Amino acid sequence: QVQLVESGGGLVQTGGSLRLSCAAAGGTISSHGMGWFRQAPGKEREFVAAISRPGFNTGYADSVKGRFTISRENTKNAVYLQMNGLKPEDTAVYYCAATRRIFSRSRGEYDYWGQGTQVTVSS
């Protein structure tokens, strides 16, 4: 029912910034907890950041804490991931996801997924 479309990925140098956007259609994100995950070649999809259904709580993977910020704007039916101080190890396809739960850091608890957007960080 909920379709998610990511945008904002691209190529950036080490230390640069990108802002990813995830637009939802077919439903409102206000009724979902939202998250960002990423998957590098040959690796499992891993948790990056999550924000609760009301938007009051956030959580981050240790590897991105202090550098990435997740936010949601329910009036625009969108969620964002601001990425600062990017490192080569951040290179991956980034996916946004929606869960019927209030908040989750677990891939298996998400119900809807976008197609992903590529983020490449060069040295």
Side-chain angles (χ1 to χ4, degrees), residues 38 46-49 59-68 84-87 89-90 94 105:
R38 67 187 182 187
E46 65 176 1
F47 169 78
V48 175
Y60 299 91
D62 289 340
S63 59
V64 306
K65 195 172 185 178
R67 299 188 296 119
F68 291 10
N84 299 324
L86 285 164
K87 305 175 181 179
E89 50 263 47
D90 295 319
Y94 283 70
R105 300 169 65 107

Side-chain angles (χ1 to χ4, degrees), residues 2 15 20 22 28 36 41 43 46 58 65 75 78 99-100 104 115:
V2 178
L20 305 183
C22 179
T28 59
W36 286 96
K43 297 185 179 295
E46 65 176 1
T58 58
K65 195 172 185 178
T75 56
T99 176
R100 288 186 286 268
S104 179
Q115 295 300 306

Side-chain angles (χ1 to χ4, degrees), residues 62-82:
D62 289 340
S63 59
V64 306
K65 195 172 185 178
R67 299 188 296 119
F68 291 10
T69 302
I70 186 171
S71 62
R72 62 193 300 158
E73 195 166 350
N74 290 338
T75 56
K76 293 185 177 181
N77 214 26
V79 62
Y80 308 96
L81 184 68
Q82 178 66 47

Side-chain angles (χ1 to χ4, degrees), residues 39-45:
Q39 187 167 20
K43 297 185 179 295
E44 294 184 348
R45 191 170 301 183

